[in-house]
Amino acid sequence: MGALLDLVQLRTFVAIAECGGFGRAASALRTSQPTVSQHVRSLERVVGRPLVERAGRLTRFTAAGEALLAEARRLLAAHDEAMCRLGAEPVPTLTVGAVEHAASPVLPDLLTVLMSALPGRDVVFRLDRSTVLAEATLRGTVDMALILGAVANVGGTEVGSLPLRWLAAPDWVPPAPGAPLPLVAFQEPCGLRQQAVGALERLGWIVRITTEAANLEGVLTAVRARLGVALMPTACGVPPGLEEVRQLPPQGTLGLRLLSRQGLDPAIEAYAGDTLRAFFAEVPPSRPFLTGLPGGDRQRRDQYKTSHPISNSN
């Protein structure tokens, strides 16, 4: 007998297909992306052929990978059925997706609250963009998802809201009148990006997207690098290393909605919704701004902003 297929590695392989990539599979399995990659390489050594290939930023299965995926699902189903016949009942797992804006600053507390509210279940978090999580919930690969209300026509119930803030680096100053205003935004599709562009254009600005990012950290990194201003919902005030640009028009708040897959126990959905509403009602809306800049620089910027208000200057 030659090399054998490993069930753990096969579960990883199936997770890549169901979650839509290595990084998302790692989040769903609560492991690291290098571990996911290692599992795929091990399976490729067993099969003797490449299983995945790169297509730009995307990863897709080869013909051998598609064949292995079908076999993996059959093998795992047979294994799980056998374990049930032997009386080994697995701990029920509840996969909860959460948009990074809501979860990143309060994730440990949020995880603790949900685990306490749902005893006897293994709660697994998956962080991603709202559009991706909405699609995953529709497919049934995520049990519940906490997403931003900017995604249209997805249903769900509102469980909280986040204030929208214009954010920039501490030493960022608006462009001179007549010059394009640089904006950092998420890649399309993104309702928040459309809202930011619309608000600025209504003021007469010519908006130039200087940076597009696929995730929250990418947006924040670009803003900290002074590549532009960004409109962001924030759960706990202004992120470290940034400042709120108060001269731009307020955009109010953005709702957080809880979606559930078809067939989920309504009692779980209702209890999770009540728990999340109570949790976000107690999240502190703000905290001291972290600038790390000497007072002289702050005074210079304040004087500039006073003499160059961000308004309909075009």
Side-chain angles (χ1 to χ4, degrees):
M1 179 72 69
L4 301 177
L5 291 170
D6 183 281
L7 290 178
V8 173
Q9 295 170 359
L10 291 177
R11 288 197 190 278
T12 299
F13 198 67
V14 172
I16 294 170
E18 293 180 345
C19 297
F22 281 50
R24 294 170 186 166
S27 298
L29 296 170
R30 289 191 290 185
T31 188
S32 66
Q33 188 164 334
T35 298
V36 171
S37 299
Q38 182 181 7
H39 286 181
V40 172
R41 288 194 296 270
S42 296
L43 290 172
E44 287 178 331
R45 286 194 293 270
V46 172
V47 175
R49 284 175 289 175
L51 300 174
V52 295
E53 60 185 6
R54 290 286 182 182
R57 294 182 178 180
L58 302 177
T59 300
R60 64 187 181 191
F61 292 118
T62 63
E66 293 288 355
L68 178 62
L69 180 61
E71 296 295 342
R73 286 179 167 142
R74 281 193 284 268
L75 286 170
L76 292 173
H79 170 270
D80 294 345
E81 290 169 3
M83 293 298 289
C84 288
R85 289 193 296 271
L86 293 171
E89 297 183 3
V91 177
T93 298
L94 189 72
T95 302
V96 179
V99 66
E100 293 174 290
H101 310 76
S104 57
V106 293
L107 183 57
D109 293 335
L110 188 58
L111 177 59
T112 299
V113 165
L114 279 177
M115 290 181 69
S116 300
L118 301 166
R121 289 182 175 269
D122 186 12
V123 180
V124 178
F125 264 99
R126 173 178 166 185
L127 300 182
D128 216 318
R129 295 180 60 185
S130 292
T131 50
V132 175
L133 293 174
E135 292 172 0
T137 306
L138 183 63
R139 293 196 307 267
T141 57
V142 167
D143 295 303
M144 295 187 297
L146 184 64
I147 69 168
L148 295 176
V151 181
N153 303 319
V154 295
T157 58
E158 188 160 316
V159 295
S161 61
L162 300 177
L164 287 169
R165 294 182 172 93
W166 296 100
L167 302 178
D171 52 356
W172 182 85
V173 292
L181 190 146
L183 181 70
V184 177
F186 282 95
Q187 295 173 349
E188 293 283 23
C190 178
L192 192 61
R193 168 178 173 157
Q194 297 168 6
Q195 180 175 342
V197 171
L200 293 171
E201 288 182 343
R202 283 191 294 273
L203 288 174
W205 286 99
I206 299 172
V207 180
R208 182 168 66 91
I209 306 293
T210 58
T211 305
E212 292 182 329
N215 53 43
L216 177 62
E217 188 56 38
V219 171
L220 295 179
T221 298
V223 175
R224 291 188 181 107
R226 302 183 298 280
L227 297 181
V229 66
L231 179 64
M232 301 289 291
T234 56
C236 292
V238 177
L242 298 177
E243 282 187 348
E244 185 172 3
V245 182
R246 298 184 183 274
Q247 288 78 10
L248 285 171
Q251 296 297 302
T253 61
L254 191 59
L256 289 169
R257 303 190 68 80
L258 180 65
L259 308 181
S260 299
R261 64 167 172 79
Q262 186 175 7
L264 183 68
D265 186 344
I268 293 178
E269 179 182 0
Y271 197 19
D274 292 342
T275 300
L276 289 169
R277 273 186 284 271
F279 177 81
F280 282 105
E282 297 178 358
V283 171
S286 62
R287 64 185 179 195
F289 295 169
L290 303 178
T291 62
L293 292 174
D297 289 344
R298 176 182 290 278
Q299 183 178 11
R300 173 183 56 81
R301 291 195 310 277
D302 290 343
Q303 290 173 348
Y304 181 95
K305 293 175 182 178
T306 300
S307 59
H308 295 78
I310 301 181
S311 59
N312 191 347
S313 56
N314 290 331

